[in-house]
Every structure is written in C-alpha cells, then in structure tokens.
Amino acid sequence: MQQTNRAPVITNKDFFIRKITREILSGKWNPGDKLPSEREFASELGMGKTVVHSAFEKLASMGLVDIKPQSGIYVADYMKTGNIETLNAIVQLNGNELSKEVTTGILDLRLAIEGMAFRALAQCRSEEDIAYLRSVTEDIRKCSRGIGLEELAERFFVWHREICILSGKNILTLFMNTTHDVSIAFWVNYLRMYGTSFAIDRLERFIDLIEARDGGGAYNLLAEGIEDYLERLEEQTL
Amino acid sequence: MQQTNRAPVITNKDFFIRKITREILSGKWNPGDKLPSEREFASELGMGKTVVHSAFEKLASMGLVDIKPQSGIYVADYMKTGNIETLNAIVQLNGNELSKEVTTGILDLRLAIEGMAFRALAQCRSEEDIAYLRSVTEDIRKCSRGIGLEELAERFFVWHREICILSGKNILTLFMNTTHDVSIAFWVNYLRMYGTSFAIDRLERFIDLIEARDGGGAYNLLAEGIEDYLERLEEQTL
DNA sequence: ATAACTAAGCTGGTCGGACCAGTAAACCCT
DNA sequence: AGGGTTTACTGGTCCGACCAGCTTAGTTAT
C-alpha cells in the first residue's frame, strides 16, 4: 500500500507560527506591543534562532508583526495594515468559517473581478474556448461524487479562474489567485448549501451565455447568484 | 552628521531574489523549467544554503517558482498561477511603469473597493470622522511641496485607505493594502499628470460629499475621475 | 549638576555546515 | 528484458557562531 498522504508532521517552525498567530489574533498581545527577542523564544522553546527568525519572516508577510531590524519585533495593527494573507490567517483560525462581513466583502469583489472577465470573454470567446470549458465542466461532474468537498471547491475555483485566463485580462487572474484561500472556504460553504449538481448546472448556464456572447447575461446570473446566497445566509443566521 | 538613511546594503538574499526574478521575468527560464538545486546556486555564488532556501521561499510566495519537495524547484506559469505579489514584481522590474492593461485592471478594482467604502462611510460617518479627514488632508497640503513624489503618493494611498478604515468594513482595508505597491506606482503617475493641488482639491470634494451623506455622489466623483484618467492615458499613448 | 561622549550589550540578519526524509534514477540480480 | 533494491540527490529543518547597527548605561569633561 503506497502512502501518498502528506506527512502530518508539525515542524518547530509551523508550531511556532501557529502559536504566535493564535496569541496575536486572540488578543494576548496587542498592536504595538514589543515581543520577546528571537533568542528568548528560541531558548525558551528549545529551538534554533534561525527557525524562530524564519517563522517571524512568515508572520511579517502575513501582516501580523512588524520587524524593526536592530530594535525588535512588534505586534502589527493588522486590521489597519494587514493584507489578504492576514485575512487567510484569520479565516484559518476560525476553522475556515467565514463571517458574514467577510463573505459579503469577498463576494462584492468577486462580482467586480469576474463580472469584468465574463464581459470580456463573451466578446472574444472562440469555439475552442467553449469546448474547453464544457470539457472541464464535464470533468467536474464526473468526479464530483468521488472526491471530498474541499477538493471539489478547488475545482470550482479553478473553473472560475479559467474564465479570467481565457478573457485575456491577466490582471484579473492574478487578483483571483490572491483570493484563493478565502475563496475555497466560500465554495465549501456554497456547495454545502446548494448541493453539487445545482452548482454544476450553473456552470453550464454560464457557458451557454458566453457562447451566445451575452456578457451582460452572465454578469446578471452571477449577481443574482450572489444576491441569493447572501439572502440565504441572512435567513440562516436568524 | 547623523545618517538616518536606510542602509543601501544589498544582502545576499536580496541580491539572489532580484537575480532570479529578473531571469524569470526576462524569459531566460521558461515556465516548467527545472532550476539548478539550492546547493548548486549556493556554492556557485558563494553563499549559504539557508540563504538560498529562504530566497526561494520568498520567490515561491511571489508566485514565480513552484517548490516540489524532494524533487526540485520549477519555474511557475506565473501569469496563470501568480498573485498580486507577482504583479508587484513585474511592475518593479519595469521601473514602476504601469502598462495600460494593468492600470485599467487596478482602477476597476479600486472603484469596486473604494466605491463600497464611500457608500458605507457616507451612511455611518460621524463629525469626528469628517474633522479627522479634513486634518489629514490639510497635512498633505502643507507638506506637499517639501516631499518627494513617491512619498506624496504614499500619503494619497493612506488617505484613501483611511476611507476604508473609517467605513468600518475591515475587509476592504485588507484588500486595499494588498494593492499597495501597484497603487503607489499609479499615484505617482496620477500626480505627475494632474498636478498636486488639483489632486488635493479632489480629496476635499470627497470629504464634502461624505459630510453631506451623499455616498452615490462620492462614488460618481470617483468613477468620473477614473474615467477621465483612462481617457487621458489613451490620448497620451496616441 | 549637566551635558556630551564612549563603550558595552542588546537587536534582527546572515551564514555554512550537519542532518533528515523523501524522490528518482541507476544499478544489479534474476 | 524485467523487476526489485540501492544509492545519490532533492528540498526542508535545525543549530550555533558571527555581523552590523541601534539603544542604553556608564563615564568623563565641562
């Protein structure tokens, strides 16, 4: 039996990153606080300074700490100066549960990004584009029962990213990828709420509209879908 | 004489990151190509493997390479799988010059993000918010002659980010920060094109509209400004 | 007593070499 | 020629020593 599973080994570095992330997001440290030095953490937790340093580099790129060379490491005002990676960290800590506020924000952005892509693609689409999208969609339908929800969410993300790629607007693709992690969390939620077959049917309706060069129609379908999702979410929380 | 200038010291890590970035973006390596091993780079350039490894971690987060553990490091298909950091790298390599396509994409996104923020803030703004925005704007006007264009661009970025912060929609702030680098490149261009005083006047018009709780008006002002900018850009390139 | 200067002790950052756990290709035996 | 084993090589982790610059405590000169 071949074991292709990724090792669930928690390295010192990962452990440390999670520990500090949790402590900062839970409010144990406050923005502006000066953290103990890398050396103190290293000796206290029995690991090398390089490991601690490398972990702090990651935490800085996540927008959770500010590193001031030759001075110290300070907790960042992450809600002010954070970026998408900060959001990813917050979402992960909440067990991939998205708050309503985050969901709304993400969906509005998605509407802006994908709406543009839909319009552009509807204008420039070739026969090959349509055939390719249909084959990808068929693939998703085929394997939809055999794979986990998270993997299926990834497929949906890739499908929508494909729209951006085919539209020829490279920037949209790059933005789309930036929202990858939170998008996955969203799709898992979506698929749980509407069911797989309903979601796949929608993909096919999108393709039909693009084939008919009806960019506005595709945009509206997307907008309606988002609106309906937010309404359902509203009902759910009541 | 005190030297407060940030050290222009190029570390081995930075040097290596730039070198590989340049080589990949210039097409010396193509997507899918397998790069030499970390050890080869390290010994060839006379630096430690830790440094090379750390640099490749950064390059991976920039979306320029795919690291396959126990196998090798491969050049990524960065236009497909890249993110905003990839865009930053591309913009930086071009000397902060933005292509028309990138500019259009960025501005559409900004309209989506800031438009939302303007509407929200117009509804919930307090007297303190208005007073604060006015004081920030006054600060910009005061120091506008004494500082460089890039620093001024940073001030404009912070002003618009402040709109997101005050609107209470945290997600918008995080998205806004994500576009920081390309936004700065945009603002430098904008200030060069319209002049400083015109740009500051516009900030004050925004404040007036928010004070009057006219979110739609602020949105329109933003939309018109963007439209005009793109038209000018069009003329310029002809 | 106060101001200015100096030196020591911090800080993050770099570095190279050792070790680990997997991959993948070369190898040998059948 | 085919199949199983070995071995070289990969990225990933970790350590402890070293570096340069900031900060502060200490000292000296005014």
Side-chain angles (χ1 to χ4, degrees), chain A residues 1-226:
Chain A
M1 176 78 82
Q2 190 181 352
Q3 282 283 75
T4 320
N5 299 354
R6 74 279 285 159
V9 180
I10 299 294
T11 65
N12 281 351
K13 183 179 163 183
D14 284 339
F15 169 81
F16 186 74
I17 291 175
R18 284 178 195 228
K19 169 189 161 71
I20 301 295
T21 301
R22 217 179 307 116
E23 289 184 359
I24 289 180
L25 292 182
S26 72
K28 174 173 175 182
W29 310 94
N30 293 313
D33 284 357
K34 181 172 181 177
L35 294 174
S37 73
E38 294 182 348
R39 281 170 182 81
E40 285 183 60
F41 275 121
S43 75
E44 186 179 334
L45 299 172
M47 31 185 157
K49 200 180 91 67
T50 309
V51 180
V52 174
H53 177 68
S54 165
F56 271 122
E57 273 187 327
K58 175 71 179 165
L59 287 164
S61 84
M62 288 162 69
L64 293 177
V65 301
D66 289 329
I67 300 179
K68 298 188 182 175
Q70 279 80 44
S71 168
I73 297 176
Y74 302 82
V75 177
D77 192 355
Y78 51 87
M79 269 305 170
K80 260 195 168 184
T81 62
N83 54 38
I84 293 291
E85 288 213 58
T86 317
L87 185 57
N88 290 339
I90 295 172
V91 171
Q92 269 189 20
L93 196 75
N94 291 343
N96 281 333
E97 282 301 316
L98 296 175
S99 73
K100 206 167 64 185
E101 193 206 342
V102 171
T103 308
T104 310
I106 294 290
L107 289 180
D108 284 332
L109 260 294
R110 254 196 64 202
L111 184 59
I113 297 174
E114 277 187 75
M116 254 184 282
F118 272 133
R119 287 182 206 269
L121 179 57
Q123 279 209 315
C124 73
R125 108 282 189 286
S126 68
E127 295 303 323
E128 288 80 32
D129 292 340
I130 301 297
Y132 177 66
L133 283 174
R134 288 205 194 282
S135 78
V136 172
T137 311
E138 199 54 40
D139 272 355
I140 296 178
R141 195 183 287 281
K142 269 182 196 162
C143 67
S144 64
R145 298 212 176 272
I147 60 180
L149 208 57
E150 197 128 340
E151 199 175 334
L152 195 58
E154 179 73 30
R155 297 288 194 116
F156 271 81
F157 174 81
V158 170
W159 190 96
H160 280 84
R161 186 179 68 185
E162 209 61 50
I163 298 291
C164 295
I165 295 174
L166 294 176
S167 78
K169 297 200 177 290
N170 291 326
I171 309 306
L172 299 183
T173 311
L174 300 183
F175 267 102
M176 192 85 177
N177 284 329
T178 304
T179 68
H180 175 270
D181 289 9
V182 279
S183 289
I184 295 299
F186 160 79
W187 278 116
V188 168
N189 231 302
Y190 184 93
L191 292 168
R192 213 180 280 147
M193 188 180 284
Y194 288 92
T196 307
S197 65
F198 176 86
I200 298 178
D201 287 346
R202 269 179 69 85
L203 298 185
E204 283 167 352
R205 287 174 65 193
F206 278 122
I207 300 177
D208 291 339
L209 288 166
I210 293 167
E211 186 172 26
R213 300 197 185 279
D214 185 4
Y219 179 90
N220 288 336
L221 183 58
L222 183 63
E224 286 163 19
I226 288 174

Side-chain angles (χ1 to χ4, degrees), chain B residues 11-13 39 46-51 70-71:
Chain B
T11 65
N12 280 351
K13 183 179 165 185
R39 282 172 181 77
M47 33 182 149
K49 197 181 96 66
T50 309
V51 179
Q70 280 82 42
S71 169

